[in-house]
Amino acid sequence: MKTLRLILGDQLNHKHSWYNDPEEDIIYFMAEMRQETDYVVHHVQKVVAFFESMQNFSEWLKERDHEVIYYQLDAKNNKQTLPENLASLIKEQNIEKFEYQLPDEFRLDRQLKEFCERIDIAFEAYDTEHFLTTREDLTHFYKGKKEMTMEYFYRDMRKKYGIMMTTKKDPEGGNWNFDKTNRKKWKEDTEIPHERGFRKEVSTTLERIEKAGIKTIGTIDKNKFNWPTSREDCLSVLNYFCKNLLVHFGDYQDAMHTDQTYLYHSRLSFAMNSKMLDPKEVIESVIGYWRAHKDEIHISQVEGFVRQILGWREYMRGIYWKEMPAYSHSNKLDNQNNLPGFYWTAKTKMNCLYRAIKQSLDHAYAHHIQRLMITGNFALLTQCHPNEVDAWYLGIYIDAIEWVEITNTRGMSQFADGGLVATKPYVSSGNYINKMSNYCKDCHYKVSNKTEDDACPFNSLYWNFLDDKKEFFKDNHRMNMMLSLLEKKTTYELNALKERAAKIIDNPSNY
Ligand SMILES: Cc1cc2nc3c(=O)[nH]c(=O)nc-3n(C[C@H](O)[C@H](O)[C@H](O)COP(=O)(O)OP(=O)(O)OC[C@H]3O[C@@H](n4cnc5c(N)ncnc54)[C@H](O)[C@@H]3O)c2cc1C
Ligand code: SF4
């Protein structure tokens, strides 16, 4: 039966059983399309990374004698939307069956389902063979439970897959979680071996994007493109991480520093989210390396890393499929302000925001704590509408695909889901930022000042946020301490803080 198999841009799984043997009568289809480049304004490096990786994947398939139709953005036949491209190919090629892998985005899932309802040939959907859980596993796991704390899901995953376990029930090292040891400030006292980077030439792909007039954000060096775009590249990033960075991954997971874009982070999110790397193989490689180097690497570094992938990554995907599509409209804190313009330019006197945003524009990357406690923190404290916050995060990061972006942004960072993902809002004054980074040292503002003209904006915004939302959080036991400190403020103190916060919220770009 002549079959058309669709491969989406984030389905570059070299190990998928589809590719075991080339079969006659199967045509694979991949396309660079405006529907994907235009649904949000993406970072230019993100569009380039996807197109380059897709092209490499199609070449890999062809080398293995699979038949592939690949539409570049400017191909004459390219109708720029998935249903139109598929419909015309089915007709042109006399296709008798259409097959696809289940998309990870709700938008594409719906589009493909609707398409299949309209066609009069057979169709079938396959698993992507990437995740360690199905779309529904998390829903089953939390059925009948009031809270959906990630930790219990993570422990269950450790047991289920026998990962870092001494018996069926007991975690290796005696603890499930070494998070408490993972909160060090980086004081330039350990060496971070810098990777040379890929320095790829991507001018042809970039030219195609520019010629089509696709609106993008951020900058790119077309001769030194530094993201992995093939399976070999991805494996080399993974090996580099194991050999050079794992040793301090946990220690400095929450640290931030003006001289360090990546610190000890792995930069593996794009490799995994495009499915060029398999999460299980990443976990196994890291654990394997650790077992061979136990004298040098403490278990806390490894457990911290495994938790991110086996725990958070799978958990976020489960939440996405459990809660969508309602999740994308949630705004439980009723935040309505616009995201400040400097999120697109980095033009701000607040050094922490300047550093985190500039780095995001230059590299399409910020590590977790920058996303959560700098840009996310400020957006929440200034009470920005989650739609705006989401659109920014979905565009700017190399790894931003909705299933993992929206759950982290709306859920973990903006508390717009009312506390499904996070048990308390991730907000802080300048104190926390000063504790975990060297940003405050060179800042225009003084982190210890509260209401003066040169006071750190995070300070007044923090108390203002707590005061504005105290009704919402009054029954949240994790907020008791913060709210009781708020209560202790005199009316005079609180008014002064609120007055300064109001000025910042009215005109964030002045700060
Ligand atoms: C507001 C906000 C938005 C985010 N948006 C995205 C996004 O669009 N795409 C994305 O992949 N991650 C997102 N994250 C999670 C996390 O910040 C990134 O996965 C991480 O920074 C990627 O860099 P890395 O590969 O160097 O990660 P490392 O710090 O080296 O961590 C290793 C891996 O663990 C996984 N991981 C770590 N934290 C999380 C998490 N919270 N949720 C899911 N997986 C996690 C990632 O696959 C990552 O590659 C977001 C976090 C926040 C707070
Ligand atoms: S003083 Fe405030 S605004 Fe400046 S870097 Fe520190 S936390 Fe950020």
Side-chain angles (χ1 to χ4, degrees):
M1 200 185 270
K2 196 162 181 194
T3 303
L4 185 70
R5 282 182 170 173
L6 171 70
I7 305 170
L8 295 169
D10 67 342
Q11 296 181 335
L12 312 181
N13 181 0
H14 298 74
K15 295 175 165 187
H16 197 280
S17 54
W18 267 7
Y19 317 123
N20 286 350
D21 299 301
E23 284 172 63
E24 259 182 43
D25 278 348
I26 291 188
I27 302 175
Y28 289 98
F29 174 55
M30 303 177 75
E32 303 169 1
M33 289 176 290
R34 291 302 293 249
Q35 80 156 46
E36 294 308 300
T37 58
D38 295 3
Y39 69 88
V40 73
V41 182
H42 300 282
H43 197 295
V44 61
Q45 294 189 32
K46 182 180 171 192
V47 186
V48 167
F50 271 106
F51 286 2
E52 287 275 321
S53 307
M54 287 164 66
Q55 289 173 90
N56 287 337
F57 191 79
S58 83
E59 290 308 315
W60 178 85
L61 284 176
K62 284 180 202 161
E63 279 161 21
R64 274 146 198 84
D65 293 329
H66 294 288
E67 188 177 346
V68 186
I69 295 178
Y70 187 98
Y71 283 176
Q72 289 197 339
L73 199 60
D74 50 5
K76 230 174 52 215
N77 293 347
N78 192 344
K79 310 237 173 328
Q80 307 296 345
T81 76
L82 197 48
E84 285 174 290
N85 276 334
L86 290 172
S88 75
L89 265 180
I90 287 172
K91 203 164 149 205
E92 250 168 51
Q93 300 283 338
N94 297 317
I95 298 294
E96 294 161 292
K97 189 176 182 202
F98 169 60
E99 296 183 343
Y100 67 99
Q101 295 178 21
L102 288 169
D104 288 315
E105 283 197 308
F106 192 83
R107 173 182 68 88
L108 286 163
D109 195 61
R110 179 147 61 187
Q111 192 180 41
L112 281 168
K113 273 187 190 141
E114 285 170 5
F115 175 76
C116 289
E117 275 165 23
R118 287 200 305 270
I119 55 178
D120 52 11
I121 56 169
F123 62 86
E124 193 172 345
Y126 289 71
D127 195 275
T128 54
E129 301 173 11
H130 172 82
F131 291 99
L132 291 118
T133 44
T134 68
R135 283 179 178 179
E136 297 81 24
D137 279 355
L138 180 127
T139 308
H140 297 310
F141 182 75
Y142 287 109
K143 203 167 177 200
K145 297 189 182 114
K146 254 197 182 159
E147 283 188 0
M148 298 202 296
T149 319
M150 196 286 291
E151 185 66 25
Y152 299 109
F153 171 79
Y154 166 60
R155 290 180 191 183
D156 190 65
M157 291 290 281
R158 290 266 299 270
K159 288 185 214 157
K160 190 163 152 191
Y161 285 94
I163 292 175
M164 296 178 79
M165 301 293 294
T166 46
T167 68
K168 275 190 178 156
K169 287 198 310 267
D170 301 307
E172 202 165 343
N175 276 332
W176 289 104
N177 188 319
F178 291 83
D179 220 13
K180 286 210 180 83
T181 60
N182 292 351
R183 288 178 191 148
K184 290 192 187 133
K185 180 173 184 164
W186 188 67
K187 295 179 183 156
E188 300 168 50
D189 45 358
T190 56
E191 199 191 328
I192 306 179
H194 285 282
E195 198 172 2
R196 187 175 172 271
F198 291 111
R199 296 165 194 244
K200 291 171 204 213
E201 215 273 323
V202 293
S203 49
T204 313
T205 301
L206 181 63
E207 218 169 86
R208 196 155 72 244
I209 293 163
E210 286 173 347
K211 221 163 135 201
I214 291 165
K215 198 173 167 208
T216 57
I217 38 171
T219 57
I220 187 167
D221 183 340
K222 62 184 180 194
N223 301 312
K224 283 188 196 156
F225 190 67
N226 188 18
W227 287 104
T229 56
S230 68
R231 174 129 172 103
E232 291 69 37
D233 291 351
C234 295
L235 287 170
S236 82
V237 178
L238 173 59
N239 288 337
Y240 187 86
F241 173 73
C242 292
K243 281 194 191 136
N244 299 288
L245 305 171
L246 177 63
V247 63
H248 286 305
F249 174 83
D251 290 342
Y252 300 112
Q253 213 175 330
D254 288 0
M256 297 171 279
H257 195 278
T258 45
D259 299 343
Q260 296 292 332
T261 306
Y262 308 113
L263 280 147
Y264 288 93
H265 292 274
S266 68
R267 297 175 70 239
L268 282 169
S269 49
F270 175 74
M272 273 189 282
N273 294 355
S274 60
K275 302 190 178 58
M276 288 187 282
L277 279 192
D278 181 289
K280 197 148 182 266
E281 100 184 294
V282 172
I283 292 170
E284 280 166 0
S285 302
V286 166
I287 294 178
Y289 189 86
W290 165 60
R291 293 211 186 286
H293 299 84
K294 271 193 166 176
D295 313 344
E296 299 150 40
I297 303 172
H298 191 257
I299 186 169
S300 60
Q301 320 295 345
V302 185
E303 187 283 318
F305 186 80
V306 168
R307 178 155 23 99
Q308 304 312 317
I309 296 175
L310 188 67
W312 281 111
R313 191 168 183 270
E314 298 285 329
Y315 174 83
M316 291 308 205
R317 175 166 180 268
I319 293 278
Y320 182 77
W321 284 106
K322 182 172 178 300
E323 300 297 327
M324 282 294 280
Y327 206 81
S328 61
H329 308 297
S330 56
N331 183 8
K332 288 274 167 55
L333 291 176
D334 193 25
N335 288 335
Q336 299 294 340
N337 293 329
N338 295 329
L339 197 64
F342 62 68
Y343 273 67
W344 285 268
T345 61
K347 285 191 182 138
T348 167
K349 289 179 278 191
M350 292 176 269
N351 198 30
C352 53
L353 280 157
Y354 166 72
R355 296 283 174 174
I357 295 171
K358 179 80 171 63
Q359 175 192 313
S360 305
L361 292 168
D362 289 349
H363 301 288
Y365 180 89
H367 59 74
H368 186 70
I369 223 68
Q370 292 176 308
R371 298 187 203 195
L372 188 65
M373 296 313 292
I374 306 292
T375 42
N377 189 7
F378 192 81
L380 182 54
L381 289 178
T382 48
Q383 304 176 33
C384 294
H385 197 293
N387 285 356
E388 294 219 350
V389 188
D390 247 340
W392 186 77
Y393 278 98
L394 188 56
I396 198 154
Y397 292 117
I398 194 85
D399 51 35
I401 302 183
E402 195 189 61
W403 64 269
V404 58
E405 174 281 323
I406 200 170
T407 42
N408 271 294
T409 303
R410 263 182 205 250
M412 184 183 283
S413 162
Q414 299 299 297
F415 212 83
D417 62 5
L420 276 182
V421 165
T423 48
K424 65 174 172 60
Y426 282 98
V427 283
S428 81
S429 65
N431 247 345
Y432 172 83
I433 296 169
N434 192 33
K435 198 174 105 194
M436 296 311 298
S437 77
N438 68 342
Y439 292 150
C440 304
K441 208 164 54 101
D442 301 325
C443 185
H444 173 86
Y445 296 102
K446 293 214 164 50
V447 70
S448 49
N449 287 359
K450 305 281 184 293
T451 51
E452 300 82 341
D453 283 347
D454 66 353
C456 166
F458 282 83
N459 293 341
S460 50
L461 288 170
Y462 174 74
W463 293 109
N464 177 65
F465 174 85
L466 289 183
D467 186 58
D468 282 358
K469 309 294 178 190
K470 61 181 183 251
E471 254 317 287
F472 187 92
F473 289 115
K474 71 177 189 311
D475 299 324
N476 182 329
H477 69 275
R478 295 207 63 201
M479 296 294 285
N480 288 351
M481 200 174 84
M482 293 186 199
L483 293 179
S484 71
L485 289 172
L486 175 72
E487 257 178 41
K488 286 188 185 132
K489 297 244 170 265
T490 63
T491 313
Y492 176 79
E493 265 179 307
L494 189 61
N495 282 349
L497 286 163
K498 288 188 75 80
E499 207 177 293
R500 176 154 171 83
K503 279 193 204 151
I504 299 166
I505 290 174
D506 280 353
N507 243 321
S509 294
N510 285 350
Y511 290 84

